[in-house]
Amino acid sequence: MADMRHFLFAAAAAIVAGLAQAEPPRLELSWTLERAGVSSAAPDGQTQAVLALRNAGTAPLPVQGWSLYFTVLAGLEPGPMPGGMRVEQVKGTLYRLRPAEGFPALVPGAEQRVTLRHPEILWQPAKAPQSPFVAEDAHPEAAVPAQGWRLDPIDRARITLPTGAEPLADAQSLYARYAAMQPVDRSELPPVFPKPLQWQRAAGEWRLQAAPQVVAPTQLAAQARQLQGWLDGVLAHQQRDGSFRLELGRVTGQASPEAYELRITPQGATLRGATPEAVALGLQSLRQLLPSSGPVPGLALPALHLVDAPRFAYRGLLLDVARSFMTPQEVGRVLDLMARLKLNTLHLHLSDDEGWRLEIAALPELTAVGAQRGLSSDPLAMLPPAYASGPKADTPPGSGHYSRAEFIALLRQAADLGITVIPEFDLPGHARAAVVAMEARHARLAASDPQAANAYRLRDPADRSRYQSAQLYDDNLMDPGLPSSYRFIDTVVAEVVGLYREAGVPLRRLHLGGDEVPAGAWQQSPASQALMQREGLKDAPALWSHFFDRMQRLAAAHGVALAGWEEMGMRGGRPNPRLAGRDVALYVWNTMAGAEDLGVRLANAGYPTVMASARHLYFDMAHLRDPHEPGHDWAAIVDLDRVFGYVPLNPARQGGGALTARLARLTPAGRRNVLGLEATLFTETVQSAARADYMLMPRLLAMAERAWSADPAWASAPATRAPALYRADLARFLAQAGTQVLPRLDAERPDLHYRIAPPGLLRDPRDAARVLVNYPWAGQPLRYTTDGSAPTAASPLVTGPIESRGPVRVTAFDSRGRPGRSSQLPALNNDNAKETP
């Protein structure tokens, strides 16, 4: 009997081992939108879709014991769904489908269709299910990606937008949008970008057969080396031909420390700047006058006199490396682009719910756990998949972090380019990566050293508060009632200050987030409730104010000024006077309906303010309301016009639009508090450097002009003249960027995959067999086909109306021959000359 028991136990163990080694079910999947729109049952909108599952394995699909996972930004309605599967939210935007009662045991090759419901009108593929994978419930670490995943093109005919909503874009609507563009005399374009304050062309040229010698004082040694390298790369330098002088000194009529003056005559050239930083900015202008490739046999620089200075001292870009990690090399590419556009501040979003990206030596779990995403049976081993990162840890862009050495190198690279890096650690909301990492630390030390285990804990284990964040988390808050929360922040700040010191770069301001703490936070946290009772804090806003008051004092103790999102400076819907006057900078993203003038009100209340309008400068928003375009739409559709037409100091007027009297106006003191502008790229839908390029460019050109160039005339002109002035200025910008900036980037940055806009098409109302074509960008050729195929670099050029009753496709190309997205019109019906459906 004993032998028999031994045999049975051994057999059972073998079976378990075999199951553990077996692969999860193998599935082929497709997602198809059935219908989307509003209804009495879904007044805010809903989308119904079908997920088709096909058994791609060699054995019948089990009826239980496995799950299908994916991330979906549009969310999913939980519960049992037609088709025999149950939808469950795992964490945040990670969902899973599990077989429920009625799910069939699919034989190999068989298919099952499951209905899914998304609680919004989904017209963007980026918000549909992404990166599906399959895992056995008992062995999640063995998850495998679904095979043959297909996201079917979204059928526009199945989408019904609410009354009054902007319709989906198409070739005809683009034609109407572009129709207001005006021709531009290219000889009148400014010589450099962004548009400088003053320039005057003179007669003659400075002709060079060899590279001149750069002459500069010792304070400008770095700038002199940079310029000499550029000149030597363009011209021979075995002998020198003249001299190029760099000087430090006051620029007449300009008070800005970034003001510079460039003078080129037939006898030579001089660049004078108020500071070394100003000279570096002047060099970026001079760079635009040099050939984009070399060497050349000779060079003729046009004689001109240029005086320039920025409108705003702060010209920033937020780069979110927490949601989707970017390597140091990828961040370096962005730094180079920023320097070319005279942007001077990189706001590096280093932590969020989905990732902590900087090594903190005292707290190794922050990156060992908080920088890793994947599927695990241990909730403290890593963070769950998010934003299409997939099931496997150590896989970018879901996983990854900067070592101390890599971060120091980035700081030095930025400093060499004249760019300040402001690090952001988002708290007390958006803190799930840190919260989970510190829970893992607690678990590691709980048995051996309970006191140390609690030293950095960020969650009150007795907290039973119920809330849901904007990104659907219910456990992402740092608890302000725990002394360990402040110890954690102090440790992080001290180490970051040390990293900057080691890099030889001063850290003047630290961003600590402060945004989107959901309703219900800390209401049932014993630690926070006890703090409120001790300090006499009557409500959650008072607790919030207390927390950031301590944060400001903590940062000041390290010699660092504090920054945060606008919520940090708000209390009860109004500016909070408690932090005003303490050099706490607020970054104002909320310009939604009812808050259009919030930045103005906060600046008037005494806060240093950075205008970071989500409706104008959030580059994670889609360019167009078009299913082909990636990105979000919750704030707005942010096309180039919206960026270029942004009037940050007068929210009552945007582009050539009319004034609205009800909004607040800046006071003189408030104007002095406006530090500048910041564009933002959050990366929920950005999983590659190429996608980042697409979302940033060319919108970043428009932002750079708004941040650098003087307030345009149309921003303050009478309402009767403003629209015409705006259209003329936009046409000038598009011509300058299209003929000067983008071709140079094509030549010098062939790795930059900026967005090439789709053309506008319209069948001529007088002759439907003629297709009219227009396009906003000068300098980019258009090519077409009439057989339905995609145009190539060998296709005919568009030189006028296209004569065709067949299908017409038109594509714009950059100067390297890289195509953008086609626009197309269907063939005509030969019987009645109407377009076929």
Side-chain angles (χ1 to χ4, degrees), residues 639-647 655 702-703 705-706 712 714 726 729-733:
D639 61 9
L640 192 83
D641 288 17
R642 184 176 284 271
V643 182
F644 188 78
Y646 181 39
V647 183
M703 183 272 173
E705 175 133 334
R706 285 286 73 80
W714 47 262
Y726 174 76
D729 196 31
L730 177 60
R732 185 272 313 162
F733 164 81

Side-chain angles (χ1 to χ4, degrees), residues 33-400:
L33 184 145
E34 282 197 329
R35 61 178 180 272
V38 296
S39 66
S40 57
D44 295 327
Q46 185 184 69
T47 297
Q48 182 166 302
V50 169
L51 187 71
L53 300 82
R54 179 180 174 275
N55 183 359
T58 58
L61 195 65
V63 296
Q64 60 181 2
W66 58 274
S67 297
L68 170 64
Y69 294 80
F70 43 68
T71 55
V72 52
L73 286 175
L76 279 175
E77 180 182 308
M81 290 292 145
M85 297 197 83
R86 182 177 186 84
V87 175
E88 298 175 350
Q89 182 184 13
V90 180
K91 189 61 63 177
T93 58
L94 179 65
Y95 291 83
R96 68 180 178 186
L97 275 65
R98 307 182 70 181
E101 185 177 352
F103 187 82
L106 293 180
V107 299
E111 181 179 279
Q112 177 72 352
R113 295 167 65 84
V114 179
T115 298
L116 300 178
R117 296 190 182 93
H118 305 276
E120 64 176 73
I121 300 175
L122 198 165
W123 55 267
Q124 298 154 291
K127 300 179 74 173
Q130 302 288 329
S131 298
F133 57 90
V134 188
E136 289 182 304
D137 295 345
H139 309 290
E141 289 83 359
V144 296
Q147 294 183 322
W149 166 236
R150 187 180 77 248
L151 195 65
D152 287 340
I154 291 178
D155 184 351
R156 296 163 178 261
R158 298 182 179 186
I159 300 173
T160 304
L161 295 175
T163 302
E166 177 186 345
L168 295 177
D170 57 17
Q172 294 95 320
S173 67
L174 291 177
Y175 187 91
R177 181 189 296 243
Y178 301 155
M181 299 311 303
Q182 303 176 4
V184 174
D185 182 353
R186 296 188 188 180
S187 66
E188 298 297 320
L189 294 177
V192 301
F193 181 88
K195 182 181 178 181
L197 272 180
Q198 306 167 24
W199 74 93
Q200 181 178 4
R201 293 182 174 90
E205 299 171 321
W206 184 27
R207 296 183 174 274
L208 296 166
Q209 299 303 314
Q213 180 68 45
V214 177
V215 179
T218 56
Q219 302 98 309
L220 298 177
Q223 290 78 11
R225 285 193 299 272
Q226 184 179 56
L227 177 56
Q228 193 72 71
W230 290 346
L231 293 170
D232 290 349
V234 170
L235 290 161
H237 57 277
Q238 288 78 10
Q239 57 183 0
R240 297 298 180 186
D241 186 359
S243 63
F244 196 122
R245 303 189 66 84
L246 302 182
E247 300 177 352
L248 281 174
R250 183 174 178 271
V251 177
T252 303
Q254 302 301 319
S256 169
E258 294 180 293
Y260 68 89
E261 179 179 18
L262 174 63
R263 191 182 297 272
I264 302 175
T265 71
Q267 290 73 44
T270 302
L271 173 62
R272 171 189 291 262
T275 59
E277 293 75 18
V279 173
L281 291 166
L283 288 179
Q284 292 297 338
S285 290
L286 175 65
R287 184 182 195 177
Q288 299 175 44
L289 304 177
L290 299 175
S292 57
S293 61
V296 296
L299 175 63
L301 292 176
L304 63 82
H305 181 213
L306 188 151
V307 175
D308 204 5
R311 182 186 185 196
F312 292 112
Y314 186 108
R315 305 177 300 280
L317 171 65
L318 179 147
L319 200 59
D320 170 18
V321 297
R323 270 63 173 268
S324 293
F325 181 67
M326 294 186 180
T327 66
Q329 294 74 26
E330 290 168 342
V331 176
R333 293 174 69 252
V334 175
L335 287 170
D336 172 77
L337 182 62
M338 291 175 64
R340 290 169 181 264
L341 302 180
K342 302 187 178 80
L343 303 179
N344 64 358
T345 307
L346 176 65
H347 174 178
L348 204 55
H349 188 79
L350 286 163
S351 78
D352 213 294
D353 297 320
E354 299 85 8
W356 181 285
R357 303 305 187 183
L358 179 62
E359 177 188 4
I360 302 296
L363 301 170
E365 286 85 1
L366 281 173
T367 48
V369 175
Q372 302 293 320
R373 293 211 299 255
L375 197 65
S376 173
S377 57
D378 179 0
L380 299 182
M382 63 188 73
L383 303 180
Y387 306 127
S389 61
K392 301 299 182 184
D394 298 320
T395 303
S399 299

